[in-house]
Amino acid sequence: MEILNKADIGVFGGSGFYSFLENIEEVKVETPYGETSDSVFIGKIGNHRVAFMPRHGRNHSIPPHLVNFRANVWAMKHLGCKRVISPCAAGSLQKAVKPGDFVICDQFVDWTDGRKTTFFEGPVVQHPSPADPYCPELRKAAIETGKKLGINIHDHGTVVVINGPRFSTKSESAFFTRQGWEVINMTAYPEAYLVKELDMCPLNISLITDYDAGLVGDVPPVSHEAVMEVFNNNVANLKSLLFTMIENLPDEVVGCECANTTKLDI
């Protein structure tokens, strides 16, 4: 893969995260894995060139089970990104994790099916370890930034990733809660693991919008409208967290082994 020097940090997020930046460059990337969700929009935050891509497309027209995660992640690597931040709307499975809270997940559980989840389909076969799927240095930076900003932030959590686009039944939600998992979402896998396969640092930031099927919060089951209302009400906090954290990240990746996940040229 040819690596360009156009960006060093990637963010999967919508136009609200970059629309007010100056001198935005729109880049269309062709990949061996098909079309990306949208163009990549590159702007500057502090000393960093940041590549933004709306994972569902700029008009939110791509449902979670049809996102071309491999193309999206490959594009970030091709542009030169060394770190990839993945903010997402998510549901809570535990009463203590409330709508409006942020969770910096440290584990995931894959409950999806039918998705393309690896770059290693032969003749090269590798098994990069997902034991600790998220970058410890990026997680530390996000947690410290969130606390300084006064955001109600949880410093760990397991996200169970369902296929979507449907939400959980009450029985499914109750099962996930009994496992002790904190967060439920439809896009966190395989996005972060693919980032790891390409030797970049992955970070999940889950913005809690609801109580899933409503059981642990004793509220009505989640609806798309309710998710968007809470998300939009808290997007300013998410922007503040992202931009403050990115501004303060060191120019070079230090303190983690994410760049050495595979040691292979894909």
Side-chain angles (χ1 to χ4, degrees):
M1 178 197 300
E2 179 187 8
I3 305 296
L4 307 180
N5 188 28
K6 298 188 74 68
D8 59 294
I9 295 175
V11 176
F12 287 113
S15 60
F17 296 128
Y18 61 80
S19 58
F20 60 90
L21 293 178
E22 297 179 356
N23 301 318
I24 289 288
E25 178 186 3
E26 180 175 347
V27 179
K28 181 67 176 175
V29 180
E30 294 184 2
T31 88
Y33 302 97
E35 291 189 6
T36 58
S37 293
D38 208 319
S39 299
V40 182
F41 301 87
I42 301 175
K44 195 167 186 182
I45 301 176
N47 293 326
H48 296 286
R49 295 284 292 172
V50 184
F52 294 87
M53 182 192 292
R55 69 166 67 83
H56 297 286
R58 71 186 76 187
N59 297 316
H60 207 94
S61 58
I62 305 172
H65 68 300
L66 295 180
V67 172
N68 191 343
F69 292 101
R70 292 197 300 181
N72 292 350
V73 171
W74 190 95
M76 291 296 192
K77 180 72 173 184
H78 175 63
L79 291 171
C81 295
K82 297 179 176 65
R83 304 171 171 116
V84 177
I85 302 170
S86 296
C88 61
S92 170
L93 297 167
Q94 305 296 335
K95 197 172 185 67
V97 181
K98 299 176 175 61
D101 289 0
F102 287 69
V103 182
I104 309 303
C105 290
D106 59 339
Q107 289 288 310
F108 66 71
V109 173
D110 172 26
W111 216 261
T112 67
D113 63 81
R115 299 186 179 191
K116 295 287 188 178
T117 62
T118 183
F119 291 106
F120 295 109
E121 294 187 314
V124 176
V125 177
Q126 284 284 297
H127 306 278
S129 173
D132 295 299
Y134 300 107
C135 175
E137 292 303 308
L138 279 184
R139 290 188 65 256
K140 179 181 177 183
I143 293 162
E144 291 179 350
T145 302
K147 289 180 177 178
K148 287 178 182 177
L149 293 172
I151 295 171
N152 193 13
I153 198 160
H154 299 263
D155 62 10
H156 70 280
T158 294
V159 54
V160 56
V161 189
I162 60 175
N163 216 45
R166 75 166 177 87
F167 295 115
S168 303
T169 66
K170 288 183 177 180
S171 291
E172 289 169 334
S173 188
F175 171 76
F176 296 148
T177 295
R178 287 196 300 270
Q179 306 315 302
W181 304 330
E182 289 84 2
V183 177
I184 185 165
N185 167 261
M186 298 177 185
T187 59
Y189 183 83
E191 192 170 270
Y193 184 64
L194 292 170
V195 169
K196 198 172 181 70
E197 279 198 343
L198 291 188
D199 295 330
M200 297 180 287
C201 299
L203 174 68
N204 169 273
I205 301 175
S206 291
L207 169 53
I208 303 303
T209 57
D210 59 85
Y211 277 118
D212 196 37
L215 299 178
V216 297
D218 193 23
V219 296
V222 60
S223 68
H224 178 72
E225 292 74 19
V227 166
M228 294 313 299
E229 181 179 359
V230 177
F231 185 85
N232 289 332
N233 287 342
N234 286 276
V235 74
N237 278 340
L238 183 53
K239 277 186 195 176
S240 182
L241 174 62
L242 279 173
F243 283 69
T244 305
M245 179 183 69
I246 289 171
E247 283 179 354
N248 291 301
L249 285 174
D251 292 345
E252 298 299 323
V253 176
V254 294
C256 69
E257 289 298 317
C258 299
N260 300 316
T261 299
T262 62
K263 287 289 189 182
L264 289 173
D265 180 24
I266 296 180

